Amino acid sequence: MPALKKIALTITSAALLSGFVLSPAAAADKDKSDDKQPKPPSTMSSLGGEQLGKAGTQVNLGPGAPVLPKKLSGRSWIVADAESGDVLAAHNSHWRLPPASTLKMLFADTVLPALQPTTLAHKVTENELSGVGEGSSLVGIKEDHTYTVHDLWLGVFLRSGNDAVHVLSEMYGGVQKTVDAMQAHAEELQALDTVVVSPDGYDAPRQVSSAYDLTLIARSGLQKKDFREYAATASADFPGEKKKGKKRESFEIQNTNRLITGDIGVDPYQGIAGVKNGYTTHAGNTFTGVAERNGKVLLVTVMNPSAEESHAVYKEAAHLLDWGFAASGKVTPVGQLVPPRSLDTGTGIGGKGATPAAGADQGPGGQAEATHASASNGSSGVGTALAIIGGLLVVLAAAVFLVNRRWPMAGRTRRTETDVTETDATAAETKDAEGTGAAEEADKAGKSAEDTDEAGKDVEGDPEGAGATASAAPTDKS
């Protein structure tokens, strides 16, 4: 019997010893795997507050505050109160990362006020489309066809069309002029993590932004009535091919923001009102959204979640919005969204100046009238998210730039429409009812913002759309 006990003790000891030996190895393997994940820089900007310059999750929970959602995998994210500018929680919010199509928010905020009226028509040339990157998301613009500015903005906001961005850039004065103006506007907004190289967000060397900056940019864009309406539009009719002797066709385009339109595994988010999503192989999925519940308006940005589940960027954004609405008033802010340099709030956070940001919408723009904006009318992009609460756009217009209730309300008039000539006949040419070739036209568009990335190809847009097809472009190795 003692011999049996001795044998048993020997076996037990050996088992325990092997466990101690193997455990560090297993831990080392895990650490080795974790080492492959990019790490935030040790030093980041502290603009907006000291905590925002620290790596990792920053949150100051008060009594009764809910804990943050579990399994958040975004490399960087932020939740902020759009009205007060309070940052409720953040994670590496100043980490400079590739922005993908969320950079189109800066493009629109910069260019949209200059291209008025939206009924202005333009005939597209081959040269204007030549600079579109391979594998780009396209709305399906064709050379030698005429489109209104309104059509083109629908293509930018709904389908993340890089072809529409390049045409609008040429109308603005050229791609380089547009890039320079975007960079200057980013600096005016104090989006100082942002470096603009391409106007469409297509992967380019040194092109970066941050969750903090994208939130500032979205907040600025939401001052503009047109911006708000385009960002909230769920679907629209887009002009198709014009065949000789036949009525011009049109085809439907839908917003690739899944918190607006929903998709398999993603429900439309209650109170969502935009703003922009993006994807490239280099940037991963990126998303900035704005939503309202019970009079509270929140902004959220999520960059490059590592979770492998479908639509992770939208699900994590929705979880953060849910948390933000539940935590409002129960947390101490970890920082502030700073005002543009041209606005002086007396806080010492932002710069001083005399005039508000260009294109600021002075007052409520009114509630959007429908979730489907037809490109066959001459109006600006009307429409709101499928689940948006009635009157949300009025709430946004009245609230968004009232930071700490000390900022001046922007006036009611938009940028003047002088020096812009509307060509009625040309505009009419672009506006035809939906034809029988809609499905064919959609196929001809080829690459869309819903293209998948199954073969490791670079698709600028959202790769997770149901029924999507892969782009034929090579991987962008920039």
Side-chain angles (χ1 to χ4, degrees), residues 1-284:
M1 197 68 179
L4 290 174
K5 286 184 178 181
K6 186 175 182 180
I7 293 171
L9 287 171
T10 302
I11 294 172
T12 302
S13 299
L16 290 172
L17 180 61
S18 64
F20 287 130
V21 171
L22 291 174
S23 292
D29 288 342
K30 185 177 185 300
D31 291 342
K32 187 176 181 181
S33 175
D34 289 344
D35 287 343
K36 294 181 181 179
Q37 296 295 322
K39 305 292 183 184
S42 57
T43 302
M44 292 182 286
S45 169
S46 60
L47 182 66
E50 183 179 349
Q51 274 190 269
L52 298 179
K54 297 179 180 179
T57 301
Q58 307 299 317
V59 64
N60 301 324
L61 299 177
V67 297
L68 283 164
K70 296 180 179 179
K71 298 181 180 179
L72 294 173
S73 67
R75 290 183 183 175
S76 175
W77 54 259
I78 191 171
V79 184
D81 185 308
E83 181 178 9
S84 69
D86 290 342
V87 177
L88 306 184
H91 179 79
N92 302 326
S93 64
H94 277 294
W95 190 355
R96 305 175 87 183
L97 297 166
S101 272
T102 48
L103 194 66
K104 287 183 173 74
M105 295 187 297
L106 179 60
F107 170 73
D109 195 34
T110 304
V111 174
L112 197 155
L115 298 182
Q116 298 292 336
T118 57
T119 52
L120 177 68
H122 177 77
K123 189 173 184 179
V124 176
T125 67
E126 180 181 2
N127 183 61
E128 291 171 342
L129 299 176
S130 63
V132 178
E134 293 186 36
S136 285
S137 53
L138 307 175
V139 68
I141 291 172
K142 297 182 179 298
E143 61 183 88
D144 296 326
H145 281 61
T146 302
Y147 302 86
T148 64
V149 168
H150 174 62
D151 298 331
L152 296 171
W153 283 119
L154 288 172
V156 170
F157 277 90
L158 273 65
R159 296 303 297 174
S160 207
N162 288 3
D163 47 358
V165 170
H166 278 256
V167 173
L168 287 166
S169 295
E170 291 298 331
M171 294 179 69
Y172 186 76
V175 170
Q176 189 57 54
K177 179 180 177 181
T178 303
V179 167
D180 292 343
M182 289 170 65
Q183 188 66 61
H185 189 47
E187 292 171 6
E188 150 65 13
L189 296 177
Q190 299 203 71
L192 305 181
D193 298 325
T194 299
V195 177
V196 184
V197 179
S198 66
D200 49 26
Y202 187 85
D203 284 341
R206 302 180 307 283
Q207 181 157 270
V208 291
S209 190
S210 67
Y212 185 88
D213 280 14
L214 292 173
T215 307
L216 285 183
I217 292 164
R219 197 167 182 237
S220 175
L222 289 166
Q223 303 309 299
K224 302 171 178 64
K225 180 176 180 288
D226 284 354
F227 186 105
R228 291 193 304 272
E229 292 176 341
Y230 286 127
T233 300
S235 64
D237 296 323
F238 194 81
E241 187 174 3
K242 179 70 170 70
K243 297 178 180 178
K244 188 175 181 180
K246 293 186 177 180
K247 196 175 185 179
R248 188 170 184 179
E249 301 167 352
S250 67
F251 56 96
E252 184 179 88
I253 56 175
Q254 289 191 334
N255 201 317
T256 57
N257 178 350
R258 295 309 182 191
L259 292 189
I260 288 180
T261 59
D263 199 359
I264 298 173
V266 180
D267 293 326
Y269 190 82
Q270 181 185 7
I272 193 69
V275 173
K276 191 72 189 74
N277 58 300
Y279 175 81
T280 65
T281 51
H282 190 48

